[in-house]
Amino acid sequence: MSVSPNISERHPVPAPPLNLDVSMPELTRALLDYESVSGNERTIADAVHTALSFCPHLHLTRDGDAIIARTEFPPLPGAEGEGAEGEGAEGERTRIILAGHLDTVPLPTVEGSLGTVPATVREEDGHSVLYGRGATDMKGGVAVQLKLAAELTAQDTDYNLTYIFYDNEEVASELSGLARLIRNHGELITDADFGVLLEPTNGTIEGGCNGTMRFFVRTRGLAAHSGRAWRGENAIHALAPALAALASYEPKTIAVEGLDYREGLNAVQISGGVAGNVIPDAAAMHVNYRFAPDKTLDEAVAHVREVFAGYELDFVDLSPAARPGLDTPLAASLIEAVGQEPQPKYGWTDVARLSEIGIPAVNFGPGDALLAHTDHEHVSFSQLTRCHADLRAWLLSDRDED
């Protein structure tokens, strides 16, 4: 069923139950009609769980507002190099993860924004485009997961598949639904051989991700009346050498397994002072460091300690980088199916969590990441259908060659 490009057409709230037997654009639009700002994913998680429960080939596990849906297909008969020789030899199927988060950032506050619930469709330059919060980040990718989960059975693919839908990706790391699933149900995740995170990549494979850390550079001073400033010590002024270090810092571009990752070290906030006539006795500069996957977390911490030698550093977020994950046969076959040169992922994504537990993973999904979190977030119909077709072709590739 196609989606009518009538911008004035609105779905009622609450959204209807999910129907997985519709077109990719229609399924994406249905997901967009569920408001699912981080911490409020219960309704969409219920809908996803209910829809998948009608797929007899899937085994479901739910943890709060996160869901694992696994196939448990029997071993492949006659798999070369596995089991006994001759007719009837069997081999375990390779297992692949397809993962995506259900939550979005808060809804736009600009009156008249096209990023609100429910979703809208527009015709732009001869192409149908779907607007709504999460269209890019990342309900288009979730729709691809759901469609494949409903379609692919043991008769269609030689792989076993693990589909992961999780909550609280857009907020503090300690709330992550994927991290919770790994802690509570690791045995259902860690047996995978490869992973695909369906974050927006404009339909191009993006390998690994930069790591990220946030910390405060803190200074201490001595409060005094500003009319007698010489009796105090200005904590804000004490940040001057740290600011100078940032201003002169030259971030590197580092090649890792053939991909060039651009680093960045930037002040993002400064605070200090209590009144207009008081010399501040404390100040803090909030710094964000994005580092390439050639570094471990400990090495990245050591680097910023060297840059800000002599300062007190207070770390509030530490997320490791992930190597590209392109040096496996599964990655090579996915690259062939997509037909485009892989690119680096500059931002941090949950491929890092998969990498930490020994699963090589890449980012690949519909939508332009530059549109994520904007008030005009949107995705084209063509990108949705192409991403689904590419992943389906990849997962069917072994079977098609038989």
Side-chain angles (χ1 to χ4, degrees):
M1 183 172 65
S2 62
V3 179
S4 170
N6 181 359
I7 190 172
S8 63
E9 182 181 348
R10 297 283 187 170
H11 285 190
V13 178
L18 285 176
N19 177 6
L20 304 186
D21 189 25
V22 295
S23 69
M24 277 300 309
E26 185 69 25
L27 180 54
T28 305
R29 181 170 184 170
L31 289 170
L32 291 177
D33 282 352
Y34 289 90
E35 186 272 299
S36 58
V37 174
S38 303
N40 192 37
E41 300 97 332
R42 178 58 50 85
T43 302
I44 194 171
D46 287 347
V48 167
H49 188 268
T50 299
L52 293 175
S53 69
F54 288 100
C55 301
H57 58 283
L58 295 177
H59 299 259
L60 304 185
T61 299
R62 180 154 179 183
D63 186 315
D65 294 332
I67 300 153
I68 300 172
R70 288 169 54 100
T71 66
E72 301 291 351
F73 300 145
L76 293 168
E80 184 178 350
E82 299 285 345
E85 292 184 3
E87 186 176 354
E90 295 184 342
E92 291 300 320
R93 296 171 185 252
T94 297
R95 182 171 289 278
I96 295 172
I97 286 175
L98 299 178
H101 61 85
L102 299 172
D103 62 321
T104 72
V105 297
L107 299 176
T109 57
V110 178
E111 186 176 353
S113 168
L114 290 171
T116 56
V117 172
T120 58
V121 179
R122 303 184 73 183
E123 288 295 320
E124 297 178 355
D125 300 323
H127 299 280
S128 296
V129 179
L130 183 58
Y131 281 81
R133 175 59 83 221
T136 300
D137 190 12
M138 60 170 289
K139 290 184 178 178
V142 170
V144 173
Q145 289 178 255
L146 286 169
K147 192 73 170 169
L148 292 172
E151 293 173 338
L152 298 179
T153 67
Q155 287 69 47
D156 303 306
T157 178
D158 288 340
Y159 300 111
N160 259 316
L161 300 163
T162 301
Y163 304 93
I164 303 176
F165 306 87
Y166 57 99
D167 56 306
N168 282 311
E169 190 272 347
E170 299 287 5
V171 289
S173 178
E174 60 267 22
L175 299 176
S176 166
L178 181 57
R180 186 179 70 253
L181 287 175
I182 292 171
R183 289 194 305 270
N184 296 346
H185 307 282
E187 73 282 359
L188 302 179
I189 298 174
T190 57
D191 62 344
D193 302 284
F194 189 71
V196 178
L197 185 65
L198 281 94
E199 288 278 5
T201 65
N202 250 345
T204 299
I205 296 167
E206 293 183 345
C209 68
N210 274 340
T212 182
M213 67 173 61
R214 293 183 299 108
F215 56 94
F216 288 92
V217 179
R218 298 194 183 277
T219 54
R220 312 293 175 179
L222 180 64
H225 194 290
S226 60
R228 300 176 182 84
W230 62 89
R231 298 184 64 87
E233 296 177 10
N234 195 310
I236 293 178
H237 292 181
L239 285 172
L243 281 167
L246 282 173
S248 63
Y249 185 85
E250 296 184 4
K252 296 179 179 179
T253 297
I254 298 174
V256 181
E257 297 175 16
L259 299 182
D260 291 335
Y261 291 85
R262 298 177 61 180
E263 296 194 326
L265 183 65
N266 293 280
V268 292
Q269 287 177 317
I270 288 183
S271 60
V274 296
N277 60 352
V278 178
I279 300 301
D281 63 352
M285 178 169 64
H286 193 179
V287 179
N288 182 211
Y289 179 37
R290 301 283 176 154
F291 56 94
D294 67 320
K295 299 177 183 66
T296 65
L297 202 53
D298 287 343
E299 289 169 339
V301 169
H303 176 66
V304 298
R305 288 195 184 281
E306 181 180 356
V307 172
F308 298 105
Y311 280 98
E312 175 190 347
L313 303 187
D314 179 12
F315 292 89
V316 293
D317 180 42
L318 295 166
S319 298
R323 298 188 73 84
L326 301 177
D327 55 349
T328 67
L330 284 169
S333 64
L334 177 58
I335 293 168
E336 182 179 2
V338 173
Q340 297 187 52
E341 194 70 22
Q343 301 294 322
K345 171 63 80 174
Y346 296 128
W348 188 90
T349 74
D350 276 314
V351 296
R353 297 192 193 278
L354 297 178
S355 180
E356 275 192 299
I357 58 175
I359 301 172
V362 299
N363 306 278
F364 176 68
D368 183 351
L370 296 179
L371 296 172
H373 305 183
T374 68
D375 288 350
H376 56 283
E377 193 174 351
H378 61 273
V379 64
S380 69
F381 284 24
S382 59
Q383 275 216 2
L384 293 168
T385 54
R386 174 64 187 272
C387 181
H388 168 261
D390 284 347
L391 283 175
R392 181 180 169 85
W394 174 53
L395 295 170
L396 295 179
S397 59
D398 286 354
R399 185 57 54 89
D400 289 344
E401 292 172 0
D402 288 346

